[in-house]
Amino acid sequence: MDVNFNRFAFSIFIGCDFCKFSEVIRNYYKDWVNDGICTIKDYTELNLEQYKEPEIGWHLEKFSWWESKLYSNIVFLSSNQSDGMDGLGYVIHNMLKCKYIACFISSEKSCSKNMFLHIDSDGKERVVLALKEDRWTFFQDGDPLLFEDLSLYEKKRKKDRINMDVILKYIKEIGIDFQKFDTYVSKCSTFERLK
């Protein structure tokens, strides 16, 4: 995965099986599938280019979830939604009791939001967020994780407290290399809302 993008949202689910993960999504959207509102396709090819610039505002949802041979019992998800489908992420976390990590990263030139959310399998939550609306705000909640660099959160410029580099370092501490998480894909499925 290269870093040539302005915005990108992704989620990581640790300690869950791809088939059970897919089953949760199918059950969650079964009425929509039956009514022809959306489609869910298995054995799709992963194309993260379509998710590199998640849109703000209302539009037809599309997302993919996949597993990589590099990481056992981990499922990744990315979407065209600026919230990264975090509502669905919470549903999956609650159903499968897996660790849930949601990230939103933005490049320096378009920097408007950077977020790292970590929820343990038991529901213990930690979030660190820098957001620009009229001006930059910084927010953190929950107990810091062992690998966090707390000195960063004292930086004068709020946008430097949590940024793309910091988030990619945090997920590397968890054992996932952002440059490789879309490689050696063994299974991939895609959801697309049609109307």
Side-chain angles (χ1 to χ4, degrees):
M1 176 73 179
D2 65 50
V3 291
N4 184 26
F5 53 81
N6 291 323
R7 300 177 305 279
F8 186 62
F10 62 95
S11 299
I12 304 166
F13 299 85
I14 300 175
C16 64
D17 173 77
F18 182 88
C19 293
K20 289 181 180 176
F21 189 98
S22 299
E23 187 178 317
V24 169
I25 291 176
R26 289 184 183 284
N27 285 335
Y28 188 72
Y29 289 107
K30 69 180 177 182
D31 291 339
W32 279 19
V33 170
N34 292 338
D35 294 341
I37 294 171
C38 71
T39 181
I40 298 174
K41 296 178 183 174
D42 294 320
Y43 310 109
T44 56
E45 192 168 314
L46 179 61
N47 175 14
L48 291 183
E49 292 294 322
Q50 62 191 328
Y51 303 132
K52 280 187 178 178
E53 304 289 336
E55 298 178 48
I56 297 169
W58 190 90
H59 55 282
L60 297 177
E61 301 99 323
K62 185 172 185 179
F63 62 88
S64 297
W65 64 99
W66 70 95
E67 69 177 9
S68 166
K69 292 177 185 175
L70 294 177
Y71 306 106
S72 60
N73 294 317
I74 294 177
V75 177
F76 301 92
L77 183 146
S78 194
S79 77
N80 66 349
Q81 301 288 297
S82 61
D83 67 358
M85 302 296 295
D86 60 357
L88 177 62
Y90 277 100
V91 168
I92 294 166
H93 160 73
N94 288 328
M95 294 292 291
L96 298 179
K97 303 301 180 198
C98 58
K99 185 182 290 186
Y100 169 43
I101 298 162
C103 302
F104 190 99
I105 54 180
S106 55
S107 67
E108 186 64 31
K109 67 179 180 177
S110 74
C111 199
S112 58
K113 175 183 172 184
N114 285 292
M115 182 195 76
F116 177 80
L117 168 70
H118 181 282
I119 307 177
D120 281 336
S121 54
D122 62 2
K124 190 174 179 182
E125 188 170 327
R126 169 66 170 161
V127 64
V128 185
L129 167 72
L131 176 67
K132 182 180 183 183
E133 291 176 318
D134 292 334
R135 57 184 177 175
W136 280 98
T137 58
F138 174 77
F139 172 80
Q140 62 174 317
D141 190 42
D143 294 331
L145 303 167
L146 293 175
F147 53 76
E148 285 184 66
D149 183 350
L150 302 182
S151 67
L152 293 171
Y153 309 153
E154 303 300 321
K155 286 192 170 188
K156 185 174 182 179
R157 293 194 326 168
K158 292 177 182 176
K159 72 175 188 172
D160 293 334
R161 295 179 185 177
I162 182 86
N163 56 33
M164 182 190 301
D165 292 337
V166 173
I167 293 169
L168 298 188
K169 180 182 174 193
Y170 285 176
I171 67 167
K172 197 155 195 171
E173 291 286 341
I174 292 165
I176 296 164
D177 186 343
F178 182 74
Q179 303 294 335
K180 296 180 179 176
F181 81 65
D182 61 338
T183 58
Y184 301 101
V185 173
S186 54
K187 295 175 187 168
C188 181
S189 297
T190 299
F191 166 100
E192 187 170 5
R193 184 167 174 170
L194 305 173
K195 57 184 178 180

